[in-house]
Amino acid sequence: NKLNSLGKLSLSNREKIVYPLIFVSIILALFIVDIANKQIADNQSKIKNRLLENSELIAIKKFIINNIKSPFENINYRVKKGDTLVKILKNHQIKNQDIDKAISEFKKHNKSSNIMSGFDIFLTIRNNKSLKENSLESMSIPISKSVTIEIYRDEHKKLISEKIITQLFKKVRLVENKIENSLYASAVESTIEPNIIIEFARIFGFEIDFQRDIRKNDYFKIVYEKYFDENGEFIKSGSILYTHMNVNGREITLYKFGNDKSYGYFDVNGKSVEKALMKTPINGARLSSSFGMRKHPIQGFNKMHTGTDFAAPMGTPIMASGSGTITRAKWCGGGGNCIKIKHNSTYETIYAHMKSFAAGMKVGKKVRQGQIIGYVGSTGMSTGPHLHYEVIINGKKVNSQKLKLPSGKVLKDDERKQFEIHRIKTDVLIAELIAKNN
């Protein structure tokens, strides 16, 4: 029994010694394996580096890099004294065909091909090493502090250009003149830009019939914005700020009021000049045939004339007399090319015998009051170039020249106070411009 007890005791002691030894052995083995793996990895890295140092592999690597490199190159070039556009492009090995086209495009916006030193020109070129010449992809050329010429390839890969205005300087101009023959002729004589003349006619078109109301020695005054670059070159005209007419003994003064996105023209009492429809949708025409019974000039018998005819030169712009949606834009038989506009649930207008429609005019197109919708022609049953204009109220054709339209908006409360302040400031500005002109 004692021997058995001693045997069991010694076995227990052995377990206490053996198990820790096994654990230590496992840890030691893992450590040795880790060191071996690191050694193998180091050896592999050294072998890889030796392989990469091989001249043939280096050549292959260079070949791959050169072939995956983008063929496009961006260049920022500062213009030096004596540089020309041709010289710069030749120095960058641009092919002659692209140089000729770039110079041609540049001269569309700038008379000379000379450029000012000190400016940075940005080029994007396509390298073509096999032909030892490059293609011009785009080019940005500042010609002043406020104007840059952009030359680039369009969707058809052709070089085109665009003049970018980065900064403009606004001036306010006052023009006044007597009307000898027509408003249009007197405005042109005063060197007023065409778009300002059209806007002027649109504004007063609510109050004045330019074909019947104007008398010799009637008078107009316009104050409007003009924009220039830093060299004083005219770029574009802006808004009409103030306008005044003395027509057949009647004086009308109007002020622009509101922000650039939403504004209107109001008289001295804060009443808007704008109505549902303009009196005449065409400028520079004469009334050639009134609404009512008449002998038809082609058919030769008496017939109701359901519109008003305005004789005008071929191609004269025709305006939408009110904002609305086009419901017809097609050939209308005897009416030739015609457009019909639905303005609201009450008013519709028709414009017939057009030479052509303005770009984009089609059924469903929304147009604004005064927008050009077409041009005077003599299509359909017509004896000469004129506009046949009809106004329809609740489905019934009426005489547009005797139409009494609802008055426009009247400013009230805070808007009226703001308008009065604005009106006084505008009057002061006009007094300063008159004193300056004198």
Side-chain angles (χ1 to χ4, degrees), residues 169-218:
F169 301 89
K170 182 173 71 175
K171 293 182 180 179
V172 178
R173 185 189 184 202
L174 182 148
V175 181
E176 50 189 336
N177 201 358
K178 285 184 178 181
I179 301 171
E180 295 296 331
N181 296 311
S182 70
L183 170 67
Y184 185 81
S186 297
V188 169
E189 181 186 300
S190 302
T191 67
I192 299 173
E193 290 74 25
N195 61 313
I196 293 295
I197 298 173
I198 290 171
E199 176 67 357
F200 180 84
R202 184 195 75 81
I203 295 167
F204 276 106
F206 300 105
E207 290 290 325
I208 296 170
D209 183 334
F210 288 102
Q211 284 67 50
R212 295 191 298 178
D213 294 345
I214 300 291
R215 300 288 185 273
K216 187 175 181 179
N217 292 326
D218 282 348

Side-chain angles (χ1 to χ4, degrees), residues 112-384:
S112 171
S113 60
N114 295 328
I115 44 180
M116 296 176 66
S117 61
F119 285 114
D120 286 338
I121 289 180
F122 299 93
L123 301 97
T124 298
I125 63 176
R126 180 193 284 269
N127 292 304
N128 192 335
K129 292 184 178 179
S130 61
L131 297 176
K132 294 184 180 180
E133 63 179 9
N134 302 318
S135 297
L136 179 65
E137 294 300 313
S138 67
M139 193 174 190
S140 178
I141 314 156
I143 59 173
S144 71
K145 292 179 181 178
S146 62
V147 182
T148 299
I149 308 301
E150 298 281 351
I151 299 172
Y152 55 93
R153 293 193 182 274
D154 63 9
E155 64 272 17
H156 305 296
K157 305 299 181 184
K158 292 182 179 179
L159 285 172
I160 60 172
S161 61
E162 186 178 357
K163 188 175 184 179
I164 307 297
I165 310 297
T166 56
Q167 185 181 7
L168 290 176
F169 301 89
K170 182 173 71 175
K171 293 182 180 179
V172 178
R173 185 189 184 202
L174 182 148
V175 181
E176 50 189 336
N177 201 358
K178 285 184 178 181
I179 301 171
E180 295 296 331
N181 296 311
S182 70
L183 170 67
Y184 185 81
S186 297
V188 169
E189 181 186 300
S190 302
T191 67
I192 299 173
E193 290 74 25
N195 61 313
I196 293 295
I197 298 173
I198 290 171
E199 176 67 357
F200 180 84
R202 184 195 75 81
I203 295 167
F204 276 106
F206 300 105
E207 290 290 325
I208 296 170
D209 183 334
F210 288 102
Q211 284 67 50
R212 295 191 298 178
D213 294 345
I214 300 291
R215 300 288 185 273
K216 187 175 181 179
N217 292 326
D218 282 348
Y219 166 86
F220 70 87
K221 183 189 295 182
I222 306 175
V223 176
Y224 68 100
E225 300 165 328
K226 295 186 73 171
Y227 290 90
F228 301 82
D229 64 17
E230 84 279 1
N231 295 319
E233 182 183 349
F234 172 72
I235 302 299
K236 66 176 184 177
S237 52
S239 298
I240 293 175
L241 305 179
Y242 163 96
T243 183
H244 171 88
M245 284 199 80
N246 187 328
V247 182
N248 198 17
R250 179 186 176 201
E251 293 201 17
I252 306 170
T253 302
L254 301 171
Y255 298 81
K256 177 189 173 185
F257 179 66
N259 56 49
D260 287 336
K261 290 184 179 180
S262 176
Y263 62 85
Y265 290 89
F266 298 83
D267 66 15
V268 292
N269 298 312
K271 185 178 179 181
S272 173
V273 70
E274 297 184 33
K275 297 180 174 66
L277 299 175
M278 298 165 64
K279 272 196 170 185
T280 55
I282 189 171
N283 184 31
R286 63 179 176 82
L287 183 66
S288 57
S289 183
S290 300
F291 183 93
M293 291 297 296
R294 68 168 186 177
K295 185 177 181 179
H296 196 280
I298 294 177
Q299 295 174 329
F301 55 83
N302 288 340
K303 185 178 180 181
M304 182 67 180
H305 186 228
T306 56
T308 304
D309 289 350
F310 297 100
M314 186 77 73
T316 301
I318 298 166
M319 297 177 283
S321 64
S323 299
T325 303
I326 293 177
T327 57
R328 182 193 302 162
K330 63 178 184 178
W331 183 265
C332 300
N337 294 319
C338 77
I339 282 179
K340 186 176 184 179
I341 301 174
K342 184 176 180 63
H343 302 284
N344 51 36
S345 59
T346 303
Y347 296 101
E348 292 177 292
T349 52
I350 294 174
Y351 313 77
H353 304 302
M354 290 184 177
K355 176 184 178 183
S356 60
F357 303 144
M361 296 300 117
K362 59 183 180 180
V363 172
K365 169 79 173 178
K366 292 186 181 300
V367 293
R368 67 183 184 279
Q369 194 166 52
Q371 182 176 348
I372 294 173
I373 57 172
Y375 304 92
V376 168
S378 187
T379 56
M381 294 181 68
S382 170
T383 57

